[in-house]
Amino acid sequence: MKTKAVRLHGKNDLRMEEFELPALKEDEILAKVICDSICMSSYKATHEADIHKRVPRDVAQNPVIIGHEFAGELVEIGRYWQDKFKVGDKFSIQPALNYEQGPLGVLSAPGYSYRYVGGDATYVILPREVMEQDCLLHYAGKGFYPSSLAEPLSCVIGAMHANYHTVQGSYIHQMEIKDGGNMAILAGVGPMGLAAINYAIHRTDRKPRLIIVTDIDQSRLDRAESLYSPAEAARNGIELKYVNTGKTDNPVAELNALSGGKGYDDVFVFAPVAPIIEQADAILAIDGCLNFFAGPAKTDFKATFNFYNVHYARTHIVGTSGGNTDDMREALDMMNGGLDPAGLITHIGGLNAVIDTTINLPSIPGGKKLIYTHIDLPLTPISEFGLKGQTDPFFAELHRLCEAHNGLWNVEAESYLLQ
């Protein structure tokens, strides 16, 4: 079977190619990719190529398919897996296999490391290690895009599970955010920040009492508030406030005042900016946990940290990079139960839009860019569907369907696009 895919050949060298997939082995699965959400990690892999920790050193000779936030349907099941998977099953992938490959120990992952599997393709072959490590996950919910966004949601789930707290006089670390505590999500209205807000206000096992979300872009704050409103959070027992820290002379004082002077038990930093990290440090409560979520591009990235408070106030810091398979399952379970991640998505495009979008991702405003791999469509903001619909009935119908869902992407719009 032939596939059409975007493959990485070297630094900033992405190519749209059509080629024959090898014959399916008994321990492999053939899958049809429906959609892939483009991640900043793909941008980093594209710019670093063979020096990236997940990209093979011989990528110039053996190019890899990019894209790791993908979903689709299973087409053909190798004999080894026929008792667990069926043709037509909808799936999501946990790409972080933590599978050591080759003499240099590349951390293999679909979307970085493989010639025949990645999200930006029409058809792919899932290698045995994906199934052996239980990283091919069933999705039973509506549509496909929620399954594609399970991976980014799993990252914020993992981050919240990775936070920890202590009891004075004890050395036992109590994992998780503090139930009934104060939480701050700094620089928190980008795609991953929105995912964190969505998860924090909708999980049922534990929740903070107060969530403060900050940014310096009022339009982004307004959009976030329209998606996840204080009224919706209040229905779940949470006080939610959005704060533009660019409009105050002393953000630390204002944020501490909003906490009632107690500070914040859990602080998440969603931008690799030193002043934001230092701001986070300054608002930590006693036993407060700072989670540095955003991955910096520079290997020597640094920020100052108050070690007096580390010693006397038991403040501490953690960092997470991606979620594990249990986090993915939790994300999929929440989506099967009705959690909709559509608020993360701001652009829709086809496979033909992947190369320019990936290479220029930091300079494209908005949230997640969702690619439908069997569609030929320029990357288009959902906010422009109405304007384009004035002359194009295709966009007019997409606009109508999105307007019926508060201007958001939705299962009905996806179904219409795929038809």
Side-chain angles (χ1 to χ4, degrees):
M1 172 178 278
K2 283 190 175 181
T3 188
K4 185 181 288 186
V6 175
R7 293 199 292 183
L8 177 65
H9 288 255
K11 293 181 181 179
N12 295 320
D13 185 2
L14 294 175
R15 306 178 197 176
M16 172 87 78
E17 298 171 314
E18 190 169 13
F19 54 93
E20 196 78 26
L21 290 171
L24 193 71
K25 298 176 183 177
E26 291 184 330
D27 59 356
E28 297 175 335
I29 291 178
L30 177 68
K32 178 182 180 180
V33 178
I34 301 296
C35 57
D36 176 63
S37 172
I38 296 182
C39 177
M40 189 63 73
S41 295
S42 293
Y43 163 81
K44 294 175 184 175
T46 298
H47 282 255
E48 295 177 5
D50 59 351
I51 66 171
H52 190 280
K53 65 180 181 179
R54 294 192 184 275
V55 176
R57 303 300 171 254
D58 65 347
V59 68
Q61 293 76 39
N62 294 294
V64 296
I65 301 175
I66 64 165
H68 60 275
E69 298 178 0
F70 60 101
E73 296 175 323
L74 303 184
V75 175
E76 185 178 347
I77 314 297
R79 180 177 63 85
Y80 286 13
W81 308 110
Q82 290 176 1
D83 61 337
K84 188 171 182 179
F85 301 99
K86 294 180 175 59
V87 171
D89 282 353
K90 297 200 303 189
F91 73 88
S92 184
I93 288 278
Q94 163 56 273
L97 302 182
N98 293 324
Y99 175 78
E100 298 293 338
Q101 169 186 286
L104 295 179
V106 174
L107 292 169
S108 294
Y112 299 91
S113 317
Y114 289 94
R115 298 178 66 187
Y116 303 120
V117 61
D120 292 316
T122 52
Y123 292 90
V124 297
I125 291 178
L126 305 176
R128 62 174 176 78
E129 52 263 31
V130 171
M131 285 72 76
E132 283 178 346
Q133 298 195 52
D134 209 17
C135 290
L136 176 60
L137 305 175
H138 290 281
Y139 170 62
K142 296 180 180 179
F144 290 94
Y145 72 85
S147 181
S148 180
L149 294 174
E151 197 279 337
L153 179 57
S154 78
C155 295
V156 300
I157 290 174
M160 294 199 184
H161 291 338
N163 270 31
Y164 71 91
H165 297 280
T166 63
V167 176
Q168 191 165 11
S170 168
Y171 300 112
I172 297 174
H173 289 181
Q174 299 172 332
M175 303 304 297
E176 264 288 3
I177 63 169
K178 186 171 183 179
D179 196 21
N182 295 337
M183 177 185 292
I185 301 175
L186 307 187
V189 291
M192 300 308 292
L194 293 176
I197 300 166
N198 195 8
Y199 175 67
I201 67 175
H202 288 113
R203 65 184 297 192
T204 56
D205 58 328
R206 65 175 56 225
K207 59 189 66 178
R209 177 194 68 81
L210 170 70
I211 301 177
I212 302 294
V213 181
T214 76
D215 204 83
I216 58 173
D217 186 324
Q218 190 60 48
S219 63
R220 282 159 53 102
L221 283 163
D222 291 343
R223 180 177 185 270
E225 187 167 357
S226 72
L227 296 173
Y228 309 113
S229 68
E232 180 184 0
R235 288 192 290 272
N236 291 295
I238 298 170
E239 182 181 6
L240 173 63
K241 294 182 179 181
Y242 293 90
V243 177
N244 188 331
T245 51
K247 292 184 176 181
T248 178
D249 293 332
N250 192 335
V252 169
E254 179 175 352
L255 294 175
N256 278 327
L258 290 172
S259 74
K262 296 180 179 180
Y264 295 83
D265 304 289
D266 297 281
V267 182
F268 294 85
V269 175
F270 279 87
V273 179
I276 297 178
I277 297 170
E278 291 160 6
Q279 182 184 106
D281 176 34
I283 63 173
L284 285 172
I286 293 175
D287 188 41
C289 185
L290 190 162
N291 188 304
F292 180 55
F293 184 93
K298 295 182 178 180
T299 57
D300 60 349
F301 178 77
K302 298 179 177 68
T304 61
F305 201 78
N306 188 325
F307 280 89
Y308 181 90
N309 288 340
V310 170
H311 189 81
Y312 290 105
R314 311 194 317 276
T315 59
H316 44 274
I317 187 167
V318 299
T320 51
S321 177
N324 62 29
T325 304
D326 287 339
D327 300 326
M328 279 281 290
R329 288 197 181 93
E330 184 176 347
L332 290 167
D333 286 345
M334 292 186 75
M335 291 174 186
N336 289 337
L339 183 75
D340 191 345
L344 280 66
I345 304 166
T346 57
H347 294 65
I348 304 296
L351 192 62
N352 58 305
V354 168
I355 294 176
D356 285 345
T357 302
T358 304
I359 290 176
N360 299 298
L361 192 58
S363 63
I364 305 174
K368 279 289 186 181
K369 284 71 182 176
L370 186 64
I371 298 297
Y372 286 90
T373 63
H374 292 261
I375 301 292
D376 187 40
L377 182 72
L379 188 71
T380 307
I382 295 172
S383 60
E384 293 183 8
F385 284 177
L387 179 63
K388 291 182 178 294
Q390 295 176 11
T391 56
D392 186 337
F394 166 72
F395 280 109
E397 180 62 9
L398 283 180
H399 175 65
R400 185 188 72 79
L401 292 168
C402 290
E403 284 299 293
H405 292 80
N406 195 30
L408 300 179
W409 193 241
N410 55 86
V411 172
E412 290 81 3
E414 178 182 75
S415 178
Y416 173 73
L417 176 70
L418 294 175
Q419 290 172 13

